[in-house]
Amino acid sequence: NEFDEGIIITDSSITETIFINEKIKEMFNVSIDDFLSRGIIPLLAEKMSENSKYFFRKNIELCRTSQLGVKPFEVDFIDCDEIPDTQKVEVFNFTSKLLRRELKYIKFSSVKQVKFAEDEQDSMKSRFYKYFEYLPFPCVIINSDGVILDLNPPFNEALQYGYSDMIDKKLDSFFA
């Protein structure tokens, strides 16, 4: 079957690659043996921008240690004709009945870059948000009522709650 998304299935610690689909083979010009011999992070990160390498590694590490999952994130690829510049990465936990164990499903999908006329304030907001996502220390965005609007991966990791468990909840409820 043909997919628009690249699919990788790994063990729950994201150390053993069990399956890659044709899209991943085409995008990264690799085989399953390459994943087995080199490892998922070095293989996938080698064509990413420096910021994306850091962000990808941090999110994969968070998935390995917390088991709570992370929100979808974007990574940028450079100098690579086979891979669209920006890819959305999603990591899901699931249990394989056939293998009788927990696995991770990692999906890469192309991000359509739609350009709208941006005013200066919108441009500043988008730059701030990108910076917020890459910060190595915990940060959270709340509204005036103390409700969490967004959080970065280190904040998610520090509190050991899933991203979806924290969004739209009052910040003080996690420190009561």
Side-chain angles (χ1 to χ4, degrees), residues 17-175:
T17 303
I18 297 167
F19 169 82
I20 60 174
N21 72 349
E22 290 300 317
K23 187 72 172 178
I24 291 291
K25 291 176 186 176
E26 292 170 16
M27 287 170 59
F28 295 96
N29 195 24
V30 293
S31 70
I32 190 77
D33 293 332
D34 295 321
F35 280 90
L36 297 174
S37 65
R38 294 182 55 203
I40 190 169
I41 292 177
L43 196 61
L44 298 179
E46 78 180 0
K47 296 179 181 181
M48 291 179 189
S49 69
E50 288 305 313
N51 281 345
S52 289
K53 284 179 187 179
Y54 169 80
F55 197 56
F56 181 73
R57 287 184 178 117
K58 193 71 176 163
N59 275 290
I60 294 299
E61 189 58 39
L62 181 59
C63 285
R64 283 179 173 158
T65 57
S66 74
Q67 297 296 317
L68 297 172
V70 295
K71 69 178 182 173
F73 59 96
E74 293 180 7
V75 291
D76 296 320
F77 290 90
I78 52 174
D79 301 325
C80 188
D81 294 334
E82 299 84 19
I83 307 171
D85 289 347
T86 303
Q87 290 281 309
K88 180 167 107 176
V89 181
E90 298 174 86
V91 182
F92 305 98
N93 298 320
F94 74 99
T95 302
S96 168
K97 291 180 183 177
L98 179 66
L99 299 176
R100 294 187 178 136
R101 64 181 182 162
E102 292 289 318
L103 300 174
K104 300 278 191 206
Y105 178 96
I106 304 170
K107 179 172 85 169
F108 285 80
S109 53
S110 182
V111 174
K112 304 286 188 240
Q113 298 293 344
V114 180
K115 292 287 182 187
F116 296 100
E118 285 187 355
D119 63 18
E120 191 173 321
Q121 187 176 7
D122 285 344
S123 176
M124 192 168 37
K125 282 179 188 175
S126 96
R127 282 195 309 269
F128 169 77
Y129 191 74
K130 194 83 161 171
Y131 179 69
F132 168 78
E133 285 288 318
Y134 287 115
L135 285 173
F137 47 85
C139 290
V140 63
I141 298 174
I142 60 173
N143 66 14
S144 59
D145 296 323
V147 174
I148 297 173
L149 302 175
D150 203 357
L151 52 110
N152 70 350
F155 189 87
N156 188 189
E157 184 177 7
L159 273 90
Q160 293 293 301
Y161 284 95
Y163 177 82
S164 59
D165 296 332
M166 298 181 78
I167 293 298
D168 296 326
K169 307 281 187 319
K170 285 199 162 247
L171 179 62
D172 61 7
S173 68
F174 295 99
F175 298 100

